[in-house]
Amino acid sequence: MKKYVVSLFVALALFGCATDPNSPDYPISQSDVQAETFTYINLGSDKTELWKRARNYIATAYGDSKAVLRVEDESGGTLIGKGLIRWKMLTTPLSPYCYSEYDIRFVAKDSKARLQLELLPGVPAISECVGWRLPSKYGYEQILSSFSAMSEQLESSLRGEGKLDAMKNF
């Protein structure tokens, strides 16, 4: 049984290396990675209140804001940190899950704010996908979808609605 599992893993790895560049299982290139920027307007609160709501959202969504945030500048309305996101490598059912890091930049001003999320190249120690510095096209689509969900949840928090149900998967 152990030989079967190892053989299956090797076959999947070789399949991943032999895919067509147009396939969703093929890795993206650095030029495919774009920072995702989300702008929120007419929020109805001052900069300090928006900053506090964003910090509280991050603390709740990630479990611990200290583990994620590197800069917390209340007077400037700025939060800067790094997050970790999970994605499925291949479209096949037995595909492993991989992880990538991304930068988080949040800036608040009176009644408006901006969030920028940008995928970073490299392989975090927690990832099973050591040979993949960037995700597959399939994985990148999952990441962009997760970024959009994060943005929607943050906007809800900034508006004082504060629902975090969708973030429980991150």
Side-chain angles (χ1 to χ4, degrees):
M1 180 66 175
K2 191 174 186 179
K3 286 183 180 181
Y4 174 74
V5 171
V6 170
S7 297
L8 181 61
F9 181 75
V10 169
L12 281 174
L14 290 175
F15 174 73
C17 294
T19 57
D20 174 21
N22 294 322
S23 165
D25 295 335
Y26 198 78
I28 62 171
S29 67
Q30 185 61 46
S31 63
D32 294 329
V33 177
Q34 302 294 322
E36 294 294 304
T37 303
F38 304 93
T39 304
Y40 315 102
I41 56 173
N42 301 324
L43 297 173
S45 296
D46 67 12
K47 173 174 68 171
T48 303
E49 181 61 28
L50 293 173
W51 180 87
K52 287 178 183 176
R53 287 179 183 173
R55 188 195 57 201
N56 290 342
Y57 162 80
I58 289 171
T60 304
Y62 291 91
D64 179 11
S65 64
K66 299 292 183 207
V68 174
L69 296 175
R70 309 290 189 256
V71 174
E72 298 182 50
D73 179 9
E74 184 174 358
S75 64
T78 305
L79 298 167
I80 299 173
K82 278 195 193 307
L84 192 66
I85 193 158
R86 184 175 92 149
W87 49 275
K88 194 171 177 181
M89 181 193 301
L90 306 171
T91 55
T92 61
L94 297 175
S95 173
Y97 283 96
C98 307
Y99 292 88
S100 292
E101 291 181 314
Y102 61 95
D103 278 336
I104 302 167
R105 292 180 193 91
F106 174 83
V107 178
K109 301 205 185 246
D110 289 343
S111 197
K112 59 185 175 179
R114 178 168 287 149
L115 173 69
Q116 186 178 55
L117 304 171
E118 183 173 8
L119 190 68
L120 300 172
V123 183
I126 191 173
S127 185
E128 297 176 35
C129 309
V130 248
W132 291 64
R133 292 185 35 76
L134 289 168
S136 63
K137 291 176 184 177
Y138 179 65
Y140 193 51
E141 289 171 7
Q142 295 167 54
I143 290 169
L144 294 178
S145 177
S146 294
F147 283 176
S148 291
M150 287 180 215
S151 171
E152 289 174 17
Q153 293 300 317
L154 175 61
E155 183 174 18
S156 177
S157 291
L158 293 173
R159 294 189 185 282
E161 299 161 7
K163 296 179 183 176
L164 291 174
D165 295 337
M167 286 302 297
K168 292 186 181 179
N169 296 327
F170 300 110

